[in-house]
Amino acid sequence: MSGRNGDRILELAYGEAAKLAVVAALAEYEEFGCPGVPTWVVEGERFWGKDRVDWVAEKVKQLKIN
């Protein structure tokens, strides 16, 4: 037995909190004018595309250092 409760996971996934989180995420997506998925926004700077992961990591490192 894995200890996972499938019914509980589905309940959470389809629950009101999940719906509100999706609506909020989509509103932010529109607010920041994201061109596609994946898009990361760090300190107001957009990073779009899977080839930008290194750039996002570097930006976060700079913020951590400063």
Side-chain angles (χ1 to χ4, degrees):
M1 183 122 191
S2 68
R4 296 186 186 110
N5 183 333
D7 290 335
R8 180 65 179 142
I9 291 169
L10 288 173
E11 180 184 315
L12 291 170
Y14 288 102
E16 192 62 27
K19 290 176 190 174
L20 293 174
V22 168
V23 169
L26 289 172
E28 283 186 343
Y29 184 86
E30 290 292 323
E31 177 186 337
F32 287 111
C34 297
V37 176
T39 300
W40 297 271
V41 179
V42 181
E43 295 284 303
E45 186 176 351
R46 286 184 314 185
F47 300 89
W48 176 58
K50 65 182 181 181
D51 56 335
R52 301 296 191 261
V53 173
D54 292 337
W55 295 6
V56 173
E58 187 60 37
K59 177 73 173 186
V60 171
K61 270 192 230 176
Q62 290 172 2
L63 292 171
K64 186 177 174 184
I65 291 169
N66 296 330

